[in-house]
Amino acid sequence: MSKRESEKSSKPETIKKSLDDIVQKLDQDADASKSWSSSITSNKEEWEKLKKNIHDRQKALKQLVTDKKAGIIGIDEFDEKYKKLQDELTELEFAVYNMRLGTKVQ
C-alpha cells in the first residue's frame, strides 16, 4: 500500500464508514440471518472445521486455567500458553466473521 493509500485509509471518516459497513452486515435482521444461513450452508465443511477448532481452543484454555490453579504449571508458562491460545481464538473468530460477512477483515 502506498503512503497516500495508507493515509487515505487511516482518515477517521474512511475508518468510520468501513466500520459502519461491517456493523450493518452484522445487523441481526432477517436478511442478515438468511445471508448467514446461506454462508454456513455453502461452506459447511469449513464451518464445521472452524467450530471444532474453536471448541478445541476453548477446551485447552479451560484446561490451562485448571492446570494453573492446581499448580501444575507456573505463571510464566501459563501466560505464554494463554496468549497463544487467545491469539488463535481471535484468528478463528475473524474467520467466522469473514465467512458471515463475505469479507477479508483482519
Side-chain angles (χ1 to χ4, degrees), residues 5 9 14-15 22 27-28 31 35 40-41 44 49 52 68 73-75 81 84 102 106:
E5 289 172 332
S9 66
T14 305
I15 294 170
I22 290 171
D27 191 17
Q28 294 298 317
D31 290 337
S35 173
I40 290 174
T41 304
K44 186 77 170 165
K49 183 179 172 185
K52 181 188 179 322
K68 181 184 175 210
I73 62 171
I75 293 173
K81 289 181 177 182
K84 183 178 185 247
Q106 294 184 356

Side-chain angles (χ1 to χ4, degrees), residues 1-16:
M1 179 182 307
S2 73
K3 184 177 179 183
R4 182 181 171 111
E5 289 172 332
S6 178
E7 289 172 358
K8 182 180 178 184
S9 66
S10 65
K11 288 184 180 179
E13 309 85 40
T14 305
I15 294 170
K16 183 180 181 329

